[in-house]
Amino acid sequence: MTLDTDQISGYLTGKTVLVTGGGGSIGSELCRQIMRYRPRQLLIFDIYENCAYELEMELRNKYGADINVVTLIGSIRDIKRLDEVFETYHPSVVFHAAAHKHVPLMEVSPCEGVKNNVFGTYNVAVAADKFKVPKMVILSTDKAVNPTNVMGATKRLTEIII
């Protein structure tokens, strides 16, 4: 299978792109790939400032200090913060990568997995709908197929929400 780079380019080039969980392992790689397609603005949204900041510095080092990358600190659990971000920046595309992903940790703290993965995803989806975002992509996992653990079940619920 080959990627249709023209289609991807049309999807991202010149657009304001928001990546939730943008500083995380999956979100940061998404941001790196998105920058190849020259978005008008890249919004890195994460609750953890260190990784998000380091990613912004990495992107500025690679693409130039004047690139339009904005790192926004906030939680997908915070509806008011999400509304502020969507209202201020008007993203055209949202990649929702923010999630708790470690199976053993979610088995020990299942309520945190539900609050973040399920309710947080719901909050992002509602904000995207409220602010008329044309495209939203959710990142899921093979663990959502016939889930056998808390994390997989929360990710399956996020697929149903979307």
Side-chain angles (χ1 to χ4, degrees):
M1 181 177 166
T2 59
L3 288 176
D4 183 343
T5 55
D6 289 337
Q7 184 177 7
I8 295 170
S9 180
Y11 194 75
L12 300 172
T13 302
K15 305 285 177 44
T16 296
V17 181
L18 168 65
V19 180
T20 69
S25 58
I26 295 169
S28 63
E29 185 56 32
L30 265 173
C31 291
R32 290 179 190 100
Q33 297 298 321
I34 289 165
M35 283 305 297
R36 295 173 41 207
Y37 294 96
R38 299 176 318 281
R40 183 174 68 78
Q41 184 173 55
L42 174 64
L43 307 171
I44 302 168
F45 185 80
D46 206 293
I47 196 166
Y48 184 58
E49 66 179 294
N50 289 354
C51 291
Y53 178 76
E54 288 172 10
L55 175 63
E56 180 181 340
M57 294 303 102
E58 173 190 329
L59 295 174
R60 289 188 185 289
N61 186 50
K62 182 172 183 174
Y63 293 99
D66 61 342
I67 59 170
N68 197 350
V69 173
V70 180
T71 298
L72 302 162
I73 303 306
S75 171
I76 60 172
R77 295 184 191 185
D78 185 343
I79 295 167
K80 184 178 178 192
R81 179 63 174 142
L82 286 170
D83 282 352
E84 290 170 353
V85 169
F86 279 78
E87 186 171 32
T88 301
Y89 294 96
H90 306 287
S92 301
V93 182
V94 174
F95 286 94
H96 178 52
H100 289 316
K101 299 172 180 77
H102 294 89
V103 171
L105 297 178
M106 293 308 96
E107 291 300 309
V108 174
S109 302
C111 290
E112 294 305 307
V114 171
K115 285 191 286 188
N116 198 66
N117 294 359
V118 178
F119 293 113
T121 295
Y122 179 79
N123 294 342
V124 174
V126 167
D129 182 58
K130 179 179 178 180
F131 292 96
K132 309 280 190 256
V133 175
K135 296 185 189 302
M136 179 175 169
V137 177
I138 181 173
L139 283 88
S140 193
T141 172
D142 61 339
K143 293 171 185 69
V145 179
N146 298 319
T148 60
N149 53 54
V150 171
M151 196 280 292
T154 65
K155 292 304 283 182
R156 178 64 186 125
L157 286 169
T158 66
E159 292 177 349
I160 292 167
I161 288 168
I162 299 304

